[in-house]
Each structure stands twice: as structure tokens, then as C-alpha cells.
Amino acid sequence: MIDINQLHVSKAGKSICHVHRFHLDVGHRCWISGPNGSGKSTLLRVLANLEQPTSGSCRITAPAIDIVYLEQSPFLFKGGLRHNLSFGLKCRKVSRDVRLKRVEETIESFRLQSFLNQDLRTISGGECQRIALARALILEPQLLLLDEPFAELDLEYVELVNEIMSCRPTMTVLMTSPHRPPESWSFDHLTMAKHTP
Amino acid sequence: MDMIWQGIHDAFSLTIQRDPAIVKAAILTLQVSLSAVLLATAIGLPLGAIVGNKNFWGRNIIVIFFRTGMGIPTVFVGLICFAMFSRQGPLGQFQLLYSPQAIAIGEFLLALPIIFSMTQGAVSSLDRRVADTAQALGAGPIRKLVTLISEARIGVVLGIFTALARCLTELGIAVMVGGNIANRTRTLATATALETSRGEFARGIAMGIILLSMSLSFTLFLAILTRKKNSEVTR
């Protein structure tokens, strides 16, 4: 699924991310850890095609539309819960009926009913992360890139998300997190070191 | 002071009686201004969103050029259009001078910098994550642009409304390339100026009231639209 070789990203002459060699097979899950500024988020942004590497190669076998990236502090669009959940489905030209059905199913499985009548501009960081996770997982992508997705979530909800992800065995997941995921999650591990310019 | 009150009184009776000259001028004003603003929106909106979201060489030059255009005197636009549409001008063969189309083109040049600049400003002040989130969820370039415009809609709508207000009330272009010909190119603004100079104060005020009513109607319409959009947030 992912093949990285001598990937290097620098900004304003400063090296911000370097990965010597990395390979991840389809359906595998990898947890990336490392100190602040080691380039974990930059690596995910490069894989999501939001940034270009300065040098090296990065090959992903999944088509661009099947890669979904979730930011560390996610952004929710104006227009309510249903609009946010259906955004990616509209991008994939999913028919209206299927879209509505999947949105309702996701609201139920992610226990988001309480946000239906709520102004999303007033919700907390953790609640925002819950909706953003649901918005990413509703798309059932081949490659899911998560940047510290559980930082503000309570344990119960983290387990719920893990359960939902377990139902999608072919989905490849790359996740940054300062804490080791539970053993039951069976994640591979990549450690990134901080680079000096 | 009596003259003003008398003017307002006469204005209401003329408006209620639907004076044909006033009605024609009002319809022409609406037709010309709306078509100019629609065309300027079709071009200025996507262009402003692209320039607001992308960083490229020459971006600042484009932004400064259009921002300068926001304050351009209407007489100057009228002068340029006159030079273009007059018989000796490069577009003289189309015989557009003293036609409603010429006024619409002039007003388009007036509206375009306003819509472009307000859209560009609104989009460039958006959170960086708007574009990134849209792209990360699979949005192509067009959907990404639509999302940016949608997120910046208050600024964008304000820009369109400002442009419409400027077109509805402008005088310089309508006089210079329209010629203020009765029943053909006479807009409410040119008619107001003409009637006032003739001493027909009541008719001048009547037209002013109609202009004000149009402006008020658009403001109310936009307020309702914005309120409706906001209420959708909770659904």
C-alpha cells in the first residue's frame, strides 16, 4: 500500500521530516510515534498529497480518492452534522438515497444523535474529533491517515472507534499518537527521530 | 423644508399611480444592474476564490489592481466605455453606444473589482484547514472552490450586494454611454438627476424612494437568506 524511500521534506532550509525506508501492506495498521517536531504530521500530509516532498519517493497504490486524512485539530464545515458527514460522499458522487442511509447509519453507530440539533461552532474539541472521525470513516477509505485522533477522546469512545475500524479489515491505517495503542489493536510501530537542519 | 415635504408627498402619489416613465426607468435600472452583477459574479467569484486560496507569482499585483478598481470613479469607467464604443473606437462596429447593453457593460466593469476583491479577501481570511479538509475528504478543484466560497459566504454575499448597490445608483456610466434617452436608456439615477435639474423635485424624490426601496428589498432578501442558512446549521 505505502512504499517510502529516502523521503525528505524541508521548509525554509530546515529539515522537518525524514523517513529512510518504510513499507506498509494492505490492511496493516501502523502507529507512528516520535518527539514534537519529528515530522509525524508532515509525513501524513505528504501521504495525503497536501504537501510535496523535497526529495525521495513515496508510492501509494490506493487511488487518491480512497485516501482520507484527519487533521490533529479537525475543521468542521458550516452547515450542521449531516452536511459534514455527507461531504465526502458527495465528492465520491454517491447517490442521494445511499448517502442519506449511510449518514443515518453513521450517526447511530458513532452515537452522534445529540449533535443533530446543535450548533457545531459551540462544541468541544473532543466532540469535534468524534464528528471528524465519523466523517472520515463513513467513506470507508482504503488508506486512512489519522493525526493524533484520540488525543481528546475518552477511552469508551476510543474503544468504539476501534470496534468500527475492526469491521473494515482491508482498510490500511497510519496513525500518529504520543501514546501506545492498546495491545489488542495490533498496530505495527514506526518511530521517528527529530532531525537537525 | 416645505418643498421637501411636498416632494415626498408627491413622490408617494406618483409611485402609487405607477407613473409610466418612472416604471420604465425602474425596470431598466433593474435589468441593467442585475445583468451586470450576474456577469461580474460569474467571473469575479471563482477568480477571487482562486486568487484568495493560491499563492503564486504576481498575486499581489492582481489584488492591488482589482482593489484600485473598487474605488474607480464611475465617470472614468464611462469615459473608457465611451472611447471603446464610439464610432471610432475598437468596438464601434457593434453600435453599442447609447444602448442599455453599453450601460450593462460599464456597470459590469464597476461590479467586477468589488466582487473579486471582497471574495478574495473573504477566502484568504478563511482558516487554512478549510481547503485542506475539503481536499483530504476527496474534493476535486471545483468542489474545493465551492466549499471555500460557501465557508466565506457572508463576505461574498456582502461583496455581491455592495456591487449591486453601486450599480443601481451609479450615474456616470449611464449618462456617458447611455445618453439618458427617454424610454430607452434612462435609468432611475439619470432620471433623478434630470428631473431635479428641471425643478421637478417630486419626481426626483419619487425615483429616489424607488431606489431606496430596491436597496431595502435586497437587504431584507439577503437577511432572510442568511437567517435561513444559519438555521440549517442545527438541522
Side-chain angles (χ1 to χ4, degrees):
Chain A
M1 175 62 78
I2 302 174
D3 238 322
I4 295 174
N5 193 11
Q6 297 295 345
L7 182 96
H8 187 80
V9 184
S10 58
K11 271 184 191 169
K14 189 185 171 196
S15 173
I16 55 167
C17 173
H18 184 84
V19 179
H20 179 62
R21 203 174 279 273
F22 176 71
H23 176 84
L24 193 66
D25 284 321
V26 174
H28 278 235
R29 285 158 195 212
C30 182
W31 160 52
I32 309 170
S33 68
N36 292 341
S38 58
K40 305 184 293 291
S41 299
T42 306
L43 173 63
L44 294 192
R45 287 180 63 82
V46 168
L47 292 171
N49 204 24
L50 292 171
E51 277 185 42
Q52 296 304 313
T54 314
S55 63
S57 71
C58 166
R59 285 194 311 115
I60 301 173
T61 51
I65 195 81
D66 264 323
I67 303 169
V68 170
Y69 163 68
L70 176 63
E71 286 209 53
Q72 195 173 349
S73 35
F75 179 85
L76 298 179
F77 299 118
K78 286 177 189 168
L81 179 65
R82 287 197 177 96
H83 170 69
N84 271 280
L85 293 180
S86 60
F87 184 90
L89 298 172
K90 282 181 192 164
C91 295
R92 283 155 184 80
K93 296 185 170 62
V94 174
S95 70
R96 193 172 181 272
D97 290 345
V98 177
R99 211 167 61 216
L100 291 175
K101 190 168 167 268
R102 274 169 72 176
V103 165
E104 295 312 316
E105 283 170 0
T106 304
I107 290 171
E108 198 173 319
S109 57
F110 281 82
R111 299 179 202 153
L112 300 172
Q113 293 89 339
S114 59
F115 300 110
L116 277 170
N117 299 314
Q118 213 171 332
D119 185 345
L120 298 186
R121 288 169 293 189
T122 61
I123 62 174
S124 73
E127 291 172 323
C128 178
Q129 217 149 18
R130 279 171 67 175
I131 296 171
L133 266 166
R135 186 176 63 180
L137 280 161
I138 194 176
L139 303 172
E140 300 183 356
Q142 286 184 33
L143 175 60
L144 183 62
L145 306 164
L146 304 171
D147 196 357
E148 301 200 12
F150 307 128
E152 295 180 69
L153 294 184
D154 49 52
L155 267 176
E156 188 194 352
Y157 203 79
V158 172
E159 280 307 325
L160 174 75
V161 173
N162 183 41
E163 258 174 52
I164 293 167
M165 288 208 294
S166 306
C167 301
R168 289 151 195 183
T170 55
M171 187 168 72
T172 310
V173 182
L174 199 58
M175 175 180 88
T176 68
S177 172
H179 312 293
R180 171 180 282 279
E183 287 298 326
S184 58
W185 285 36
S186 61
F187 267 63
D188 300 331
H189 185 207
L190 168 74
T191 311
M192 293 183 76
K194 189 161 181 168
H195 279 261
T196 45
Chain B
M1 200 62 193
D2 283 349
M3 191 176 73
I4 295 172
W5 286 118
Q6 185 59 41
I8 293 170
H9 175 263
D10 293 351
F12 274 108
S13 35
L14 278 169
T15 312
I16 290 162
Q17 285 162 14
R18 290 189 186 174
D19 183 276
I22 296 176
V23 171
K24 271 189 182 167
I27 291 171
L28 182 75
T29 305
L30 265 183
Q31 281 175 339
V32 164
S33 302
L34 283 175
S35 47
V37 170
L38 276 177
L39 190 62
T41 304
I43 297 169
L45 204 64
L47 208 65
I50 291 168
V51 175
N53 183 47
K54 293 260 180 222
N55 265 325
F56 54 88
W57 191 89
R59 178 185 190 257
N60 287 345
I61 297 169
I62 297 172
V63 171
I64 290 168
F65 175 77
F66 278 101
R67 284 203 182 154
T68 309
M70 278 177 86
I72 198 165
T74 57
V75 182
F76 182 71
V77 179
L79 185 71
I80 300 286
C81 290
F82 188 88
M84 299 294 274
F85 301 140
S86 63
R87 200 166 284 179
Q88 292 85 7
L91 302 173
Q93 54 175 319
F94 298 109
Q95 297 182 330
L96 286 169
L97 199 62
Y98 303 130
S99 70
Q101 288 84 351
I103 307 174
I105 294 169
E107 289 186 358
F108 160 76
L109 295 176
L110 198 67
L112 184 66
I114 299 171
I115 294 171
F116 171 90
S117 299
M118 299 282 266
T119 306
Q120 185 270 329
V123 168
S124 64
S125 62
L126 279 177
D127 193 319
R128 169 196 63 81
R129 294 173 300 165
V130 178
D132 282 357
T133 305
Q135 192 178 330
L137 290 170
I142 294 173
R143 187 170 284 277
K144 195 164 124 180
L145 209 64
V146 172
T147 307
L148 287 168
I149 293 169
S150 165
E151 289 294 315
R153 58 181 167 248
I154 292 175
V156 169
V157 166
L158 204 66
I160 295 170
F161 180 69
T162 308
L164 185 64
R166 191 140 195 241
C167 287
L168 280 172
T169 54
E170 79 77 31
L171 187 67
I173 298 166
V175 167
M176 290 192 82
V177 296
N180 197 18
I181 303 165
N183 298 327
R184 190 168 142 76
T185 58
R186 184 162 293 168
T187 64
L188 279 174
T190 58
T192 306
L194 180 78
E195 299 295 351
T196 309
S197 67
R198 270 187 193 161
E200 295 279 353
F201 203 62
R203 293 179 74 86
I205 290 184
M207 289 173 194
I209 287 173
I210 295 172
L211 272 175
L212 201 68
S213 313
M214 281 181 182
S215 176
L216 189 69
S217 310
F218 284 119
T219 310
L220 286 174
F221 173 71
L222 283 171
I224 293 165
L225 204 73
T226 315
R227 210 168 156 188
K228 206 175 163 187
K229 279 277 175 194
N230 282 340
S231 70
E232 276 172 14
V233 166
T234 55
R235 256 177 266 153

